Amino acid sequence: DDNEIKFGYSITGIVEPKRVIKNSEAKPGDVLILTKPIGTGVISTAVKFQKASKQAEEAAINIMTTSAAKASKLMNEIGVNACTDITGFGLLGHGFEMAKGSNVTLKIKAEKVPLLPDVLELIEQKMLTRGDKNNRVYVGENIKIENHITNFMQSALFDPQTAGGLLISLEKNKAEQFIEKSDDAKIIGDVNEFSGFLIEVE
């Protein structure tokens, strides 16, 4: 409940059942790919407080206005096991849903996760949304984060995204092919048998 105008979309269409990629079929041995860098929530907050650099603002706008159509088409061409978009629950929140639905553990390497410009510096200046706290509550005790991961990086991983990228789980031998044909996609981890935690960040 605030002073900002809100609007929403309702999209009606036809889905081809054979082309549906679920968020619940990640397999142990898969590689995890993220198709866009994260940090739009932090930068959007910084823009409101006039703390964002022009470079960071332009990078965020470019990411938010880049369609997922190319990555989606590529997924169908190559064949992947699972996918989820990264939006309001952040990378860890949506990864949590994938892991839970697939009954696996996602191992994410923090240093491999691509960030938009200045994100960690802006987090240090407390340019955070309410989603940072809400998303931590959402995943509860189901995520293990190694002690060397800074609080700033943790906030980046929980940062809610606007028009964020896709988190894709696919077989290792297909991952390089996807990376070669994609613009910003990066390998950020892999899928393991369930360890007791749905996500392990290392």
Side-chain angles (χ1 to χ4, degrees):
D1 183 12
D2 56 38
N3 295 322
E4 295 179 1
I5 296 171
K6 300 289 189 293
F7 70 101
Y9 295 105
S10 176
I11 302 173
T12 304
I14 298 172
V15 176
E16 171 55 56
K18 292 180 181 178
R19 297 182 65 195
V20 170
I21 300 171
K22 300 177 182 178
N23 69 349
S24 57
E25 296 186 358
K27 313 287 188 211
D30 279 1
V31 168
L32 294 172
I33 286 177
L34 183 63
T35 64
K36 290 183 183 181
I38 60 175
T40 60
V42 169
I43 293 173
S44 296
T45 301
V47 168
K48 291 179 185 178
F49 290 97
Q50 299 182 327
K51 298 283 189 182
S53 67
K54 194 68 178 174
Q55 180 194 18
E57 184 177 349
E58 289 177 354
I61 290 170
N62 179 58
I63 284 298
M64 290 188 287
T65 55
T66 298
S67 170
K70 181 177 179 180
S72 177
K73 183 179 179 182
L74 190 54
M75 282 196 301
N76 275 284
E77 286 177 1
I78 292 176
V80 306
N81 289 330
C83 175
T84 182
D85 60 337
I86 307 302
T87 51
F89 291 124
L91 175 60
L92 293 186
H94 288 286
F96 161 81
E97 292 177 336
M98 178 185 283
K100 185 176 181 181
S102 306
N103 193 33
V104 295
T105 295
L106 305 188
K107 282 203 172 183
I108 294 176
K109 298 185 182 300
E111 76 273 9
K112 299 287 187 183
V113 177
L115 301 177
L116 287 165
D118 304 337
V119 167
L120 296 180
E121 292 82 355
L122 291 171
I123 291 173
E124 191 172 2
Q125 297 175 49
K126 303 190 185 306
M127 295 293 109
L128 297 169
T129 70
R130 282 178 295 181
D132 178 68
K133 181 179 179 181
N134 294 342
N135 290 342
R136 292 171 190 267
V137 172
Y138 179 63
V139 303
E141 301 296 320
N142 297 292
I143 289 181
K144 178 183 178 183
I145 300 177
E146 295 293 339
N147 292 332
H148 71 274
I149 309 299
T150 67
N151 290 334
F152 305 139
M153 187 62 194
Q154 290 182 39
S155 286
L157 297 173
F158 281 111
D159 185 46
Q161 304 300 288
T162 298
L166 303 177
L167 178 64
I168 301 167
S169 178
L170 74 171
E171 294 168 18
K172 191 173 183 179
N173 61 0
K174 296 179 178 179
E176 289 301 328
Q177 185 183 356
F178 191 99
I179 294 293
E180 287 173 9
K181 294 184 177 181
S182 181
D183 297 324
D184 296 312
K186 305 289 182 187
I187 295 173
I188 65 165
D190 51 35
V191 181
N192 292 259
E193 298 282 354
F194 181 64
S195 69
F197 292 98
L198 290 170
I199 297 180
E200 296 179 1
V201 182
E202 56 186 30

